Amino acid sequence: MKILTIKYKNIGVFRDGVILDFTAKDRVSDMSQVTQLYETIYTQRVIGITGPNASGKTTLLKLLQLALKIVVRNYGLNDLEISEGILLENTEMTVDFYSKGVFYRLVSTIGIKNVALHKEYYFKEEVVYKKFKSEIKNKNSINAFNTIELRRSEMDSTLKKFLKPHDSIVSQYVEEGPVLMDTLINTNANFYNASTKSVMSFINLFDSSIEDIKSDEESNDLMIKFKNDRDGYIKSTYLDAENYLSSGTIKGSTILNKIAFVMKNGGYLIIDEIENHLHKKLVQLLINIFNDDDINVSGATMIFTTHYSEIFDSVDRKDNIYVLIRDEKFTSIALRYSDIINRNDIKKSDILLSNYIDGTSPKYEDITRVKELLCKLVKS
């Protein structure tokens, strides 16, 4: 199963809607950067999202995670931790996907009920469209769906009886979806994963001084041994591991373990602020792993956000980069880099840092005001 596009209408900070396309729009010359789906249709192996602070990057990842959990992993709306204000009454979620030789489109309209002190989300209406590979004539025809396969409101009464309001009808078309993993919970709280068996090659990539890490069989605490340390193992709780392991070691090894699992089983990995705690070269390594045919044998996809546009200088494609800005009404907008910039001879970081795409860097006037205020505060 492969996701093709995820689209939202009537949605929080993206008041004009938002769409993220997982397919390759530009010409494909390097097959290691994409996965061939059918003839000239390819899906991206890496999707990067950038933009200034408060432009909606994390919100977009949460929306993508929500759609992926529903379609890929058959989660119900009540199984999800939905942040306040992300979904609105009549939010429309559209997901195009490919499964077992058939193209599908799921269009879901979400409703909200106020129950006691919390909100409950449910599906007001859903429609599944379907078409076969033989109907695909070119890249553009992949977005045209005319045949309705199933409408929630017109389902047989027997089926409705067993379908809960918070469960999607898409579950009837996805038996066992690909793996979905993320690091969203670790964005601002970096801690060692107690459920992950330490792979020392992963650990030593970030800290070569560590000889071994294991769990104590009795207390289930973390046991850490450093090279050339005669005192043996140091005992620590998992929450206190950052006292002995660097933030980069914890984050980097955690991501590599998730990558190994996603690569083995195929699927999607979502990483918020990929540059946090990591050296630029190691970030490039994580990206390059997904473009390595010998490792990424299942066509797995990594979706990440970053504040550092220099990271994109090592990404060859332009159609897998999204730039988030906020307009004068403070509405977040997601722009596909390749829709704005055609040239390949200019570094992506130069384009983004120069504010050539208006809104990608802090305004000169705002920077000047901060400097002037600091001068006043210092001299007062």
Side-chain angles (χ1 to χ4, degrees):
M1 177 187 182
K2 293 290 183 184
I3 299 295
L4 306 177
T5 59
I6 294 176
K7 180 180 180 180
Y8 283 94
K9 291 181 180 179
N10 186 35
I11 188 75
V13 297
F14 297 95
R15 287 191 287 269
D16 296 328
V18 63
I19 182 169
L20 194 140
D21 193 344
F22 285 64
T23 65
K25 178 181 177 182
D26 294 350
R27 184 173 62 89
V28 174
S29 57
D30 185 352
M31 289 292 293
S32 68
Q33 299 176 31
V34 295
T35 299
Q36 188 174 23
L37 197 63
Y38 174 66
E39 293 187 350
T40 60
I41 300 171
Y42 303 86
T43 55
Q44 307 281 5
R45 294 188 177 185
V46 173
I47 296 176
I49 302 167
T50 190
N53 292 329
S55 59
K57 295 186 297 298
T58 301
T59 298
L60 179 55
L61 286 190
K62 289 181 178 179
L63 290 170
L64 296 176
Q65 181 197 50
L66 186 149
L68 288 169
K69 281 188 172 181
I70 291 172
V71 176
V72 172
R73 302 306 303 168
N74 289 333
Y75 276 56
L77 287 171
N78 66 336
D79 299 322
L80 304 170
E81 293 184 7
I82 302 174
S83 300
E84 180 72 23
I86 285 186
L87 298 181
L88 306 177
E89 179 71 20
N90 293 321
T91 286
E92 185 178 280
M93 179 188 76
T94 300
V95 182
D96 293 354
F97 62 97
Y98 176 82
S99 179
K100 297 182 179 179
V102 181
F103 291 87
Y104 295 96
R105 169 171 289 174
L106 169 71
V107 182
S108 302
T109 302
I110 298 171
I112 304 175
K113 289 181 180 179
N114 291 312
V115 180
L117 299 177
H118 69 282
K119 292 182 177 180
E120 287 188 0
Y121 300 87
Y122 67 99
F123 291 105
K124 297 178 73 171
E125 180 63 291
E126 289 189 288
V127 181
V128 173
Y129 297 83
K130 175 182 177 180
K131 63 182 175 184
F132 296 98
K133 291 191 295 185
S134 58
E135 300 176 62
I136 303 296
K137 306 302 179 184
N138 51 50
K139 285 184 180 180
N140 294 328
S141 64
I142 193 176
N143 297 315
F145 285 85
N146 300 312
T147 304
I148 294 179
E149 172 75 4
L150 180 64
R151 187 184 293 274
R152 188 183 187 102
S153 58
E154 298 175 357
M155 289 176 60
D156 180 270
S157 58
T158 304
L159 291 175
K160 280 186 179 181
K161 182 179 179 180
F162 294 99
L163 183 67
K164 297 178 181 178
H166 50 257
D167 290 334
S168 173
I169 61 176
V170 77
S171 59
Q172 299 181 53
Y173 302 92
V174 183
E175 295 180 2
E176 183 63 34
V179 169
L180 173 61
M181 306 200 79
D182 68 81
T183 65
L184 295 182
I185 194 174
N186 301 111
T187 303
N188 299 311
N190 200 28
F191 56 88
Y192 196 81
N193 192 340
S195 63
T196 302
K197 183 179 180 180
S198 298
V199 179
M200 292 314 302
S201 294
F202 293 168
I203 297 290
N204 291 149
L205 177 64
F206 303 94
D207 187 346
S208 59
S209 70
I210 300 172
E211 182 176 318
D212 189 28
I213 299 180
K214 63 182 181 180
S215 294
D216 182 83
E217 294 182 358
E218 295 182 1
S219 65
N220 201 34
D221 285 332
L222 193 64
M223 305 296 293
I224 305 169
K225 188 176 189 304
F226 290 89
K227 295 176 181 177
N228 301 322
D229 188 343
R230 297 180 180 178
D231 294 331
Y233 285 90
I234 299 171
K235 181 179 287 191
S236 168
T237 65
Y238 282 91
L239 292 177
D240 293 333
E242 204 166 9
N243 292 330
Y244 304 97
L245 306 176
S246 73
S247 296
T249 301
I250 294 174
K251 177 175 180 177
S253 59
T254 298
I255 290 177
L256 281 174
N257 275 294
K258 291 181 183 293
I259 286 176
F261 191 73
V262 170
M263 292 295 183
K264 182 177 181 180
N265 299 280
Y268 300 88
L269 174 62
I270 299 174
I271 304 175
D272 195 14
E273 298 184 14
I274 194 172
E275 75 280 2
N276 276 8
H277 309 299
L278 298 181
H279 189 279
K280 179 182 175 182
K281 287 292 185 183
L282 294 174
V283 173
Q284 291 174 342
L285 168 66
L286 299 179
I287 294 172
N288 291 337
I289 285 173
F290 279 82
N291 292 330
D292 190 322
D293 281 332
D294 292 331
I295 303 174
N296 194 357
V297 295
S298 300
T301 298
M302 176 172 68
I303 308 158
F304 70 89
T305 65
T306 181
H307 292 102
Y308 295 158
S309 54
E310 293 90 348
I311 290 173
F312 295 119
D313 292 335
S314 61
V315 177
D316 293 334
R317 299 190 65 82
K318 305 191 307 298
D319 59 347
N320 60 344
I321 298 172
Y322 285 82
V323 182
L324 269 57
I325 61 173
R326 299 190 82 172
D327 63 15
E328 63 279 358
K329 297 180 181 179
F330 305 105
T331 296
S332 293
I333 302 170
L335 306 172
R336 198 172 193 166
Y337 184 90
S338 60
D339 290 339
I340 308 166
I341 307 298
N342 294 319
R343 297 177 62 177
N344 289 315
D345 58 335
I346 304 177
K347 291 168 101 176
K348 297 180 180 75
S349 59
D350 289 344
I351 292 289
L352 296 171
L353 292 174
S354 68
N355 213 29
Y356 178 85
I357 304 173
D358 189 28
T360 55
S361 288
K363 294 181 179 179
Y364 174 79
E365 296 83 357
D366 293 337
I367 295 174
T368 301
R369 287 193 199 97
V370 170
K371 288 183 177 180
E372 291 174 350
L373 177 58
L374 286 172
C375 284
K376 291 179 181 179
L377 292 173
V378 169
K379 295 177 181 178
S380 61

